[in-house]
Amino acid sequence: MSKYWNERVQRLEPYVPGEQPKDKKYVKLNTNENPYPPSPKVIRAIKEAADDRLRLYPDPEAEQLRAALADHYHLSPAHVFIGNGSDEVLAFSFMSFFSPEKPVMFADITYSFYKVYADLCALRPEIIPLDEAFRIPVQDFCRPGGGVVIPNPNAPTGRGITTESIRKILEADPDRVVIIDEAYVNFGGTSVVPLVKEYPNLLVVQTLSKFCALAGIRVGFAFGSPELIDGLNRLKNSINSYTIDRLALTGARAAVEDLSYSRHMAERVITTREQAERSLRELGFQIIPSESNFIFITHPDYEAEQLFNQLKQKGILVRYFHQPRISNYLRVTIGTDNEMNQLIAAMKKLLNH
Ligand code: PMP
């Protein structure tokens, strides 16, 4: 605490990102990064853009990138908003669409940044418990309220929700905004971007961080009705007009124009995930069905926290959450085949198999 902090900052409980360790080289399976490099076309485009044009501000409207995304999804650029990573898009969305008078609903086990944004905006979250198998209880999200946020697939469980269920939640109260966070949708889920023309209260948030292996350039998007996108622009232009730098804009556009590369890499991740799931089940792990580039695992005979610490000592980083209901789970990002083999070999030793 500091006497210089205002009351708002004193009250904050900031999000804690997964470790980016500097002490030694780890097999890093803790922050859901893509194990493969971005498209070579992205690297080339960024290198070519690194010249004296950097003295100029970037395009505040990100027009070319929005046009490329709109093209891909058969929308108009008026349906697209670009942010500095989807975390920024989510923060702007909480600030733009939710109010303290009515509760904003999200699950008890979900991306922990939602609670941080809700507190930052002095909102009243209504926390909806997932069922015993960590599925979204759709009926509970159909109650009227001030807004809904659901990742599809959910994090850290990896479980998806059907398009039919999302439609039900959207239709239950057309006066509130429903945010579907599709950070991981390209690893086996089904996107609801095509629904944005049908539902003016739907905002779909995506990122280049995972699918396009570009966590390092920080680009995220939102797709929604022009009125939602206008709201986000009003807010953005009241904070910082130039949220995306020139190199990121150029790289992002190259990535969107080469999505077949990312699809190919995502196929590899999915194949590796299925193989890792089989091996971990043989060791007695239980695994939540995943549509994502990570798996959520628990073992009936071994404590997750202890396994987390033992793996770290062996140079393998996974993610552990000290949180009710999931304190005996580990979230493991899918790495390369070689990285997953190292994880499984380490687990075999720890479990005396
Ligand atoms: N949503 C979810 C569910 C996530 O797990 C993450 C990554 N931590 C994000 C959004 C944010 O991703 P980024 O800011 O890199 O786009």
Side-chain angles (χ1 to χ4, degrees):
M1 289 292 166
S2 158
K3 65 179 177 185
Y4 298 116
W5 296 354
N6 66 17
E7 221 182 290
R8 192 214 326 257
V9 169
Q10 294 205 17
R11 273 202 318 263
L12 293 180
E13 253 186 69
Y15 174 74
V16 182
E19 257 180 283
Q20 297 291 353
K22 296 178 186 75
D23 56 336
K24 63 175 181 184
K25 197 160 168 19
Y26 286 89
V27 172
K28 199 170 169 300
L29 306 175
N30 69 330
T31 48
N32 297 344
E33 286 142 332
N34 197 313
Y36 300 112
S39 156
K41 292 183 183 164
V42 171
I43 312 283
R44 209 177 309 137
I46 292 177
K47 282 185 177 158
E48 278 168 15
D51 60 20
D52 61 1
R53 283 170 293 178
L54 289 181
R55 71 194 172 76
L56 301 172
Y57 281 108
D59 173 11
E61 316 289 340
E63 263 178 38
Q64 291 181 330
L65 177 56
R66 282 171 48 231
L69 281 162
D71 216 39
H72 176 70
Y73 280 112
H74 310 293
L75 297 170
S76 90
H79 290 105
V80 187
F81 177 83
I82 315 285
N84 193 274
S86 58
D87 279 338
E88 184 184 80
V89 178
L90 289 164
F92 286 0
S93 305
F94 271 68
M95 290 184 212
S96 303
F97 306 127
F98 303 148
S99 313
E101 298 81 52
K102 285 185 181 174
V104 50
M105 296 176 185
F106 46 86
D108 60 341
I109 301 163
T110 195
Y111 186 32
S112 52
F113 231 138
Y114 303 153
K115 169 84 171 53
V116 177
Y117 298 138
D119 290 347
L120 173 69
C121 301
L123 303 174
R124 280 189 299 134
E126 184 177 344
I127 308 291
I128 311 280
L130 297 181
D131 74 8
E132 73 292 341
F134 295 156
R135 284 176 301 233
I136 298 277
V138 176
Q139 278 316 318
D140 293 348
F141 278 93
C142 287
R143 294 198 295 263
V148 170
V149 192
I150 298 175
N152 182 32
N154 197 7
T157 65
R159 251 194 197 281
I161 173 173
T162 64
T163 301
E164 266 331 287
S165 301
I166 294 173
R167 278 184 187 275
K168 272 191 199 144
I169 294 168
L170 283 160
E171 286 167 14
D173 180 0
D175 292 336
R176 54 154 199 211
V177 172
V178 175
I179 300 176
I180 303 296
D181 178 351
E182 296 192 315
Y184 302 102
V185 80
N186 300 96
F187 297 97
T190 305
S191 174
V192 289
V193 170
L195 301 192
V196 301
K197 280 190 184 159
E198 216 177 310
Y199 296 99
N201 59 329
L202 168 63
L203 192 81
V204 184
V205 177
Q206 291 190 352
T207 176
L208 290 185
S209 298
K210 322 289 177 178
F211 178 52
C212 292
L214 287 171
I217 66 169
R218 314 299 302 129
V219 178
F221 328 119
F223 301 95
S225 57
E227 57 185 309
L228 293 186
I229 301 304
D230 273 353
L232 288 171
N233 279 317
R234 281 170 74 86
L235 189 97
K236 182 196 92 154
N237 288 319
S238 305
I239 295 178
N240 174 8
S241 296
Y242 306 106
T243 48
I244 326 289
D245 65 70
R246 278 177 170 272
L247 301 182
L249 281 175
T250 308
R253 195 170 143 219
V256 172
E257 285 169 358
D258 193 17
L259 288 179
S260 56
Y261 170 91
S262 297
R263 255 178 244 123
H264 178 65
M265 292 307 179
E267 292 296 328
R268 284 172 69 176
V269 170
I270 291 169
T271 307
T272 305
R273 178 183 77 208
E274 288 165 355
Q275 176 61 45
E277 284 174 345
R278 279 192 290 276
S279 305
L280 288 166
R281 277 204 192 94
E282 277 169 24
L283 297 179
F285 281 96
Q286 291 158 4
I287 304 172
I288 305 296
S290 172
E291 296 183 5
S292 190
N293 69 335
F294 55 85
I295 46 177
F296 206 44
I297 65 173
T298 186
H299 199 293
D301 307 326
Y302 294 85
E303 274 182 28
E305 189 171 13
Q306 202 178 344
L307 288 174
F308 166 81
N309 287 320
Q310 289 168 327
L311 286 171
K312 191 169 176 186
Q313 272 171 11
K314 289 177 176 289
I316 299 174
L317 262 192
V318 297
R319 190 89 193 257
Y320 174 74
F321 300 92
H322 224 310
Q323 208 183 300
R325 294 189 71 188
I326 57 169
S327 61
N328 205 32
Y329 281 80
L330 296 174
R331 191 196 69 189
V332 181
T333 304
I334 304 302
T336 60
D337 284 333
N338 181 25
E339 286 173 325
M340 299 316 280
N341 288 341
Q342 289 184 61
L343 170 83
I344 283 144
M347 285 291 201
K348 274 188 183 154
K349 279 203 183 128
L350 294 174
L351 272 54
N352 294 320
H353 258 255

